[in-house]
Amino acid sequence: MKWGLIGASTIAAEHVIGAIRAQNGNSVEAVLSSSRERGAAYAERHRIVRAETDLDSLLSSPVIDAVYISTTNEKHRDQALAAIAAGKHVLCEKPLAMSVADARAMVHAAARKGVVFATNHHLRCAGTHRAAKAAIAEGRIGKVLSMRVFHAVLLPKHLRGWRIDNPDAGGGVIPDITVHDADTVRFYLDEDPERVVAQAVSSGLGQGVEDSVMSVWTMPSGVMVQSHESFTHPFAGSGLEVHGTEGSIFARNVMTQQPKGTVTLVNASGETELPYDSGNLYDYALAAFNRAVSGTGRPAADGVDGVKSLAVAMAVRQSAHEGRAVDVNYEGM
Ligand code: NDP
């Protein structure tokens, strides 16, 4: 599969270009940047054959089979719709769009065109989370009662651009991190939050956007979910706990892009460290995407997952702004 990168981004440089190249027969053919100079420098730095500044020119290349969209969030929708119209398979960054209705339109367009459309939710690709989910599915903690997500981190200095001061580009911790936690909770529990209550603040980094949020989610099964995301916590550590009638799972330092952390099962027999696959998260996502394109599998997170995680995040933001409980609107998905 030959890829075009839409966006000369940090995430592509740090994780996704390598993950594409780790797949048999995959290569990066071109990168699109709005700046000729930055695009050319990026292409040279990452050994990419062509740098483009015109989306149509990149998409009209018959060589390119798939695109990876990692521009700022407000650009995802139009770039994805153009790529789909050109018949390219699409791996799109989260949040898929600035509204749930737009994200839904992207998923419907891909279905009509018959191309693969996936969302790059990396956390469900981590061996830690897959091991914890498997333990729950095997009944090792009994009936699940509650889940707590701790994802308050310190935003690295090199990422303190649009994320902390540009709401029009999709800045703020809710579209950045709450969407990932929504996807992770959905992955663990195999159900979609119905209603949320949230409070958000700016605690030192956010200018015109929230940089910290806490929320509580109502699940159809009655499982209680609590979630905390922030850009301003240097030493909080990340993690996730799932508590059941027969045991608890404590996953520490697992809300990360790296294949690391610990997963501990605690029950009447004592404490057990769960072994997990320590493969690269993005390699896992790209391998699943390849299987989806070849018709032998599904993306790790598909377009519907992207719509639903965005819907939860949007409800969290609305609840924080309006100071009331908000029903999650999945726009019929
Ligand atoms: P970046 O800020 O690195 O890149 C976003 C855009 O900013 C690029 O497309 C580029 O525009 C522009 N840009 C990059 N560097 C510069 C610069 N030095 N000067 C001016 N403009 C610049 O964003 P991220 O890589 O952090 O995030 C991109 C997307 O990926 C977002 O949607 C984000 O939510 C998502 N993301 C997902 C992660 C995951 O694990 N799933 C992790 C991190 C981010 P141009 O292309 O026009 O050159």
Side-chain angles (χ1 to χ4, degrees):
M1 186 149 45
K2 297 196 185 311
W3 288 81
L5 304 183
I6 298 182
S9 69
T10 309
I11 174 73
E14 291 182 350
H15 296 283
V16 177
I17 293 173
I20 289 173
R21 290 180 172 150
Q23 310 307 314
N24 225 348
N26 283 215
S27 61
V28 180
E29 293 296 312
V31 58
L32 179 85
S33 170
S34 56
S35 154
R36 188 167 299 286
E37 297 72 36
R38 196 169 57 245
Y42 192 96
E44 190 179 343
R45 195 158 59 248
H46 300 291
R47 295 176 287 107
I48 299 168
V49 188
R50 274 172 28 233
E52 302 269 8
T53 54
D54 180 49
L55 180 62
D56 291 338
S57 161
L58 181 140
L59 293 176
S60 65
S61 166
V63 171
I64 290 174
D65 307 299
V67 297
Y68 167 60
I69 300 176
S70 62
T71 46
T72 46
N73 304 339
E74 85 287 8
K75 297 195 173 114
H76 296 174
R77 178 196 61 184
D78 290 351
Q79 291 170 334
L81 290 175
I84 291 164
K88 311 299 183 191
H89 304 292
V90 176
L91 174 60
C92 188
E93 268 307 340
K94 47 47 67 170
L96 285 184
M98 300 289 277
S99 76
V100 182
D102 284 351
R104 185 190 59 174
M106 293 152 76
V107 172
H108 283 160
R112 278 196 302 273
K113 192 74 178 178
V115 295
V116 171
F117 184 81
T119 313
N120 199 27
H121 277 307
H122 62 293
L123 290 170
R124 60 166 68 208
C125 300
T128 47
H129 292 297
R130 289 186 281 119
K133 180 182 162 87
I136 295 165
E138 287 160 13
R140 296 176 75 181
I141 63 167
K143 180 180 170 342
V144 177
L145 301 170
S146 65
M147 186 163 174
R148 307 200 297 177
V149 181
F150 312 93
H151 205 157
V153 295
L154 184 65
L155 187 68
K157 282 210 170 79
H158 71 288
L159 297 182
R160 294 181 194 171
W162 56 271
R163 273 184 181 76
I164 59 168
D165 67 3
N166 192 345
D168 296 337
V173 77
I174 294 173
D176 202 52
I177 305 185
T178 307
V179 275
H180 278 313
D181 293 346
D183 183 67
T184 307
V185 168
R186 291 184 56 255
F187 174 69
Y188 269 75
L189 299 180
D190 288 318
E191 58 178 344
D192 303 324
E194 280 177 346
R195 183 164 239 239
V196 303
V197 182
Q199 288 195 6
V201 296
S202 178
S203 57
L205 277 182
Q207 300 151 40
V209 294
E210 78 291 330
D211 61 26
S212 297
V213 59
M214 287 187 175
S215 55
V216 175
W217 309 349
T218 306
M219 305 302 288
S221 64
V223 172
M224 297 188 78
V225 176
Q226 182 187 59
S227 191
H228 179 201
E229 294 84 26
S230 177
F231 286 156
T232 62
H233 288 48
F235 303 110
S238 75
L240 181 155
E241 298 175 357
V242 191
H243 303 290
T245 51
E246 311 297 328
S248 289
I249 286 175
F250 296 86
R252 294 284 179 241
N253 300 315
V254 292
M255 309 308 282
T256 166
Q257 297 173 301
Q258 310 298 334
K260 64 180 189 187
T262 56
V263 185
T264 310
L265 171 69
V266 182
N267 59 19
S269 317
E271 288 195 10
T272 313
E273 291 289 307
L274 299 185
Y276 63 84
D277 166 15
S278 58
N280 180 293
L281 284 63
Y282 298 90
D283 288 4
Y284 185 93
L286 266 292
F289 190 90
N290 269 257
R291 287 194 294 275
V293 168
S294 66
T296 58
R298 294 178 47 74
D302 63 16
V304 175
D305 292 314
V307 172
K308 291 188 170 180
S309 63
L310 176 61
V312 176
M314 292 292 97
V316 165
R317 183 175 258 176
Q318 187 185 347
S319 173
H321 283 178
E322 297 180 2
R324 64 179 182 90
V326 169
D327 291 336
V328 182
N329 180 1
Y330 294 103
E331 297 274 356
M333 289 221 119

